[in-house]
Amino acid sequence: MPSSKIQPGENMESFNKRLVEHFIQLSWNSGRFNLLRHIVCPDFVYHTSFLEGFKDLEGFIQYVTEIRGAIPDLEVSIEDIMAEGNRVISVSTFSGCFEKPLMGMEPNHRVISFGGISTWEIRRGKVLHQNTLVDIAKLQRQLNVEPSQVSMVG
């Protein structure tokens, strides 16, 4: 597990990018939520274009667990990451085999892939806020579903 402190010679932006990478690895890629709890603020907030409303950490964990259940081999790859001060932007690709129903979408038992762009806010070395814009249209095209078939309520 990477250190949760700035290393000698490391600037804040490098640390914040490393923190976001670690967050994605612990949550989306491995489901290690007990470790994830150590790198988020108590008042963590998550928002995504895939669902209405905002989620606290427990809501985020439930959301990720549901998606990982439908796409058991899910992998989130970071394509690009930028940081300035306490803000980070990550561009990621979500991919895996869609095996079980998810939010009104029926599985196609094929590998799907779609993008997401997240803005992150870091406070005192922990993740405070994540806001993700998901390429829902690309996902719908791969599943051959109409926009009205996707449940956007979570």
Side-chain angles (χ1 to χ4, degrees):
M1 176 185 211
S3 171
S4 61
K5 299 197 183 298
I6 293 179
Q7 299 299 303
E10 182 178 40
N11 64 30
M12 183 173 58
E13 285 81 7
S14 294
F15 171 81
N16 289 343
K17 289 192 289 189
R18 191 165 50 87
L19 180 67
V20 165
E21 291 167 345
H22 192 51
F23 181 102
I24 290 170
Q25 182 61 34
L26 289 177
S27 59
W28 292 104
N29 290 341
S30 64
R32 297 169 66 193
F33 301 115
N34 285 334
L35 291 175
L36 181 70
R37 292 176 196 285
H38 295 281
I39 64 168
V40 299
C41 293
D43 50 345
F44 169 80
V45 175
Y46 176 75
H47 181 256
T48 176
S49 61
F50 203 71
L51 297 172
E52 291 180 3
F54 293 86
K55 306 252 179 245
D56 61 8
L57 181 59
E58 295 309 315
F60 173 77
I61 289 171
Q62 181 180 359
Y63 172 70
V64 172
T65 300
E66 184 177 346
I67 292 174
R68 287 176 47 81
I71 309 170
D73 60 346
L74 178 68
E75 181 176 346
V76 178
S77 303
I78 298 173
E79 308 300 334
D80 200 3
I81 190 165
M82 297 155 271
E84 185 173 325
N86 68 336
R87 303 278 183 177
V88 178
I89 297 174
S90 61
V91 179
S92 302
T93 300
F94 296 69
S95 57
C97 191
F98 187 21
E99 298 289 343
K100 295 182 181 172
L102 176 67
M103 298 178 205
M105 297 178 289
E106 289 301 316
N108 63 1
H109 306 286
R110 295 178 18 208
V111 173
I112 59 171
S113 179
F114 56 95
I117 298 174
S118 295
T119 60
W120 306 75
E121 184 177 353
I122 311 302
R123 182 175 66 197
R124 295 186 193 111
K126 295 187 176 193
V127 177
L128 172 64
H129 183 254
Q130 180 188 4
N131 187 1
T132 301
L133 178 64
V134 177
D135 188 350
I136 297 168
K138 183 174 182 180
L139 177 60
Q140 291 168 332
R141 285 191 302 274
Q142 292 175 70
L143 300 175
N144 295 318
V145 298
E146 297 296 319
S148 61
Q149 290 177 278
V150 178
S151 170
M152 299 294 285
V153 179

